[in-house]
Amino acid sequence: MDIKSKRILIILTIVVVMLVALLNAYPGKTRSAKVVDMSSITLPSYQLPNGYITKEQAIRIAVKAAEWHLHKGEKPRNIQCLLLPYGIGRKILYGIPSVSEKQFKSLEKGRLNKEELNQYINKYYERDSKLMYFVIMDVNRYPGEVFMRFPPNPKFKPRLIDGKYLTTQDTYVIDAQTGNIIEHGYYGIVKHIYPEQK
Amino acid sequence: MKHKIKVLLALMLLTIIFLFPGTMTICKNTHSKAYGYDNYSNYYAYGYINWIFKRQWTGGSVKFENPNPDYETPNSGANQTIWCSTNSSYTQWVEAGYAKGKQGDSNARYLYWASGRYDNNGNLIEYSEGDCSTPPGVPGLVHKYTIIYYDNPGCFMLFIDGYLEQTYSPEFKKYIRKIEIGLESQDYRNVCGKVHPYQMSYFSENDNSWHSFAQANPKVYTSARLYHFKWGDSRHKDYGEDWIE
């Protein structure tokens, strides 16, 4: 190797080391929120059976739950609420596919007899057809107000806006019959604008 | 000259390893651990069996005995968990387990599912959790929790005792990189005596079958036993210890 090659190699080494050090020092910047805009979609309305909770009641339940761990003065905002069957709501809003009968049969092959399998499928579809309120709202949370089971790494912490708080879009799925919250969570850097409902 | 180049390359490698310690964790032997840390000012304490690999694994399964005696959670919740990372990452996951205590009801007992995603820059994308429809049953009752990816319909699914409880978003893509099984307490004052996992196993797409943790390669797992966790007191929040019966 001649002197020129050696110099190039040394320079390359220094550049690589500096680059790696820089990447480590600045592992990533907080992204501005990505918006998933579904407002151009119009969904049908669903008739609310007697005795079910109203949209306003569902929103109150969700807001109360959101405020449970929220610092004083902070109020949820941009509240959106849809009334949808569970399976349809998860499919449209979260992109989670429903399991078809055919898929069920292949999953359960050899494990359940025909009668058990039918009961099982009916149970699944019964839940999928239950009316639920899907409520979302924007909330500014301090790090201590963000609940999460088993984060991926004990040292893994979310990046904060201005080093203070995290703006989340809280999500609540509320059983329209019982008023129970059956799912809750939040979006971090992704914000959603829900479809319209006639 | 060749010697100098070798030294230079070794220095580069050492620098990268120093700056990215995660690159050397592939064969880390973690066995069973319990430790707590101050996470966003909440207290979490973990006991887990950690197992890191690079394989085409698409499922994890465990049998858990409901805690007996049950957890005492006067101030906050606790849960025993199977946790599977997704998308060949350490930052996206699906999980399920038995939980005691929830917002406004410290005596609530339920089986739960949860999932979460961060991007590679540490930004939180989403987190969600919910109750399963299977009732937890009495203390000591055993449930089997299985999290497995199905190509059709293309998502992870959670089975409890063989029944489909939940389907996860297709964003949680195939291949599990790490499976943790253990106990989590959100308050050091909780009393969480032990967690008893049985039949911890993973599903390998290579041969389309289940294997026990002990068959993992690299082999970093110890056998299924009773794991006890003793939490540190309020002055030692970041300390916990465990032992195996």
Side-chain angles (χ1 to χ4, degrees):
Chain A
M1 192 181 272
D2 58 14
I3 294 172
K4 197 179 171 186
S5 301
K6 275 194 277 180
R7 280 181 183 162
I8 290 170
L9 190 68
I10 290 165
I11 290 167
L12 270 174
T13 308
I14 293 166
V15 168
V16 168
V17 169
M18 282 174 70
L19 205 66
V20 169
L22 270 171
L23 282 171
N24 198 51
Y26 301 99
K29 291 177 179 175
T30 305
R31 283 188 200 165
S32 56
K34 181 186 162 195
V35 177
V36 177
D37 187 354
M38 294 179 272
S39 60
S40 60
I41 302 168
T42 305
L43 299 172
S45 291
Y46 291 85
Q47 180 114 26
L48 200 61
N50 284 337
Y52 280 43
I53 64 163
T54 63
K55 187 177 177 178
E56 289 69 29
Q57 287 172 313
I59 288 172
R60 275 202 295 275
I61 290 167
V63 168
K64 193 178 169 191
E67 286 177 340
W68 184 267
H69 284 302
L70 214 50
H71 54 279
K72 203 176 172 185
E74 178 61 33
K75 290 280 172 199
R77 57 194 189 284
N78 300 331
I79 299 169
Q80 303 170 61
C81 180
L82 296 174
L83 176 67
L84 294 168
Y86 185 61
I88 291 175
R90 279 168 63 86
K91 193 173 181 182
I92 294 171
L93 305 176
Y94 306 155
I96 298 174
S98 285
V99 182
S100 72
E101 209 164 308
K102 193 179 168 188
Q103 286 164 339
F104 259 126
K105 282 177 180 164
S106 74
L107 295 180
E108 296 302 323
K109 208 173 179 180
R111 190 157 59 185
L112 303 171
N113 64 38
K114 202 175 174 182
E115 195 182 330
E116 285 172 327
L117 182 62
N118 284 336
Q119 279 177 4
Y120 177 28
I121 290 170
N122 289 340
K123 186 182 163 190
Y124 181 85
Y125 288 126
E126 193 184 313
R127 187 182 64 167
D128 257 19
S129 63
K130 284 190 87 173
L131 281 175
M132 302 282 172
Y133 287 104
F134 291 81
V135 187
I136 54 173
M137 62 191 81
D138 292 347
V139 177
N140 287 344
R141 291 188 184 282
Y142 289 118
E145 297 166 349
V146 179
F147 175 77
M148 183 182 286
R149 293 178 197 274
F150 262 75
N153 185 320
K155 291 175 183 170
F156 208 81
K157 295 186 178 185
R159 296 183 189 287
L160 307 175
I161 295 166
D162 299 333
K164 288 179 185 170
Y165 58 84
L166 184 73
T167 300
T168 60
Q169 190 174 42
D170 284 19
T171 62
Y172 293 90
V173 180
I174 297 166
D175 188 325
Q177 188 176 12
T178 62
N180 292 333
I181 296 169
I182 65 153
E183 273 181 49
H184 66 95
Y186 41 83
Y187 293 107
I189 57 169
V190 184
K191 305 295 174 206
H192 291 74
I193 302 172
Y194 271 2
E196 298 291 323
Q197 196 166 27
K198 274 189 177 174
Chain B
M1 186 57 223
K2 277 182 183 173
H3 178 69
K4 279 184 181 173
I5 291 171
K6 279 180 187 170
V7 170
L8 220 55
L9 287 171
L11 274 171
M12 275 175 69
L13 191 66
L14 280 171
T15 310
I16 290 167
I17 290 166
F18 175 73
L19 293 169
F20 295 102
T23 54
M24 291 303 284
T25 59
I26 293 162
C27 297
K28 191 169 72 175
N29 186 346
T30 51
H31 297 289
S32 169
K33 284 186 175 177
Y35 56 85
Y37 67 97
D38 190 4
N39 180 51
Y40 324 146
S41 39
N42 294 325
Y43 179 69
Y44 287 78
Y46 279 68
Y48 67 88
I49 296 154
N50 186 359
W51 170 32
I52 302 168
F53 51 84
K54 282 191 173 177
R55 294 285 188 279
Q56 294 190 327
W57 292 359
T58 55
S61 183
V62 66
K63 278 186 178 178
F64 270 133
E65 186 181 286
N66 285 345
N68 187 19
D70 209 344
Y71 302 148
E72 290 174 33
T73 53
N75 303 292
S76 189
N79 48 271
Q80 58 184 19
T81 297
I82 175 167
W83 186 103
C84 300
S85 74
T86 69
N87 200 23
S88 304
S89 76
Y90 294 122
T91 54
Q92 306 182 7
W93 73 98
V94 296
E95 64 175 280
Y98 168 91
K100 173 95 184 286
K102 64 160 66 167
Q103 186 174 297
D105 184 1
S106 60
N107 288 317
R109 302 170 68 250
Y110 53 102
L111 307 186
Y112 81 95
W113 61 268
S115 60
R117 280 197 299 151
Y118 283 86
D119 67 13
N120 292 332
N121 294 320
N123 296 306
L124 174 69
I125 301 173
E126 62 178 299
Y127 174 78
S128 61
E129 65 170 69
D131 296 4
C132 294
S133 59
T134 301
V138 295
L141 185 71
V142 175
H143 290 295
K144 184 178 183 182
Y145 303 80
T146 304
I147 292 169
I148 187 165
Y149 187 91
Y150 276 99
D151 285 314
N152 188 6
C155 62
F156 276 94
M157 294 184 175
L158 162 65
F159 295 85
I160 294 180
D161 301 330
Y163 287 89
L164 178 63
E165 274 285 355
Q166 193 54 279
T167 47
Y168 293 92
S169 165
E171 295 299 330
F172 296 90
K173 292 178 184 145
K174 201 149 94 162
Y175 298 130
I176 294 168
R177 197 163 183 177
K178 185 166 79 166
I179 301 174
E180 294 183 1
I181 286 169
L183 170 63
E184 174 187 38
S185 172
Q186 293 145 29
D187 192 295
Y188 65 91
R189 289 165 293 187
N190 289 342
V191 179
C192 308
K194 60 188 177 184
V195 55
H196 193 174
Y198 305 82
Q199 294 178 12
M200 289 169 278
S201 52
Y202 67 91
F203 189 84
S204 171
E205 206 179 57
N206 292 338
D207 57 5
N208 224 29
S209 59
W210 289 96
H211 301 265
S212 78
F213 272 24
Q215 291 172 282
N217 186 17
K219 189 177 173 182
V220 293
Y221 167 64
T222 56
S223 62
R225 308 276 281 277
L226 280 172
Y227 291 86
H228 294 252
F229 302 93
K230 180 183 170 187
W231 312 116
D233 60 28
S234 57
R235 287 178 302 168
H236 302 89
K237 279 189 173 184
D238 58 349
Y239 175 73
E241 63 182 61
D242 67 314
W243 69 95
I244 301 170
E245 263 188 358

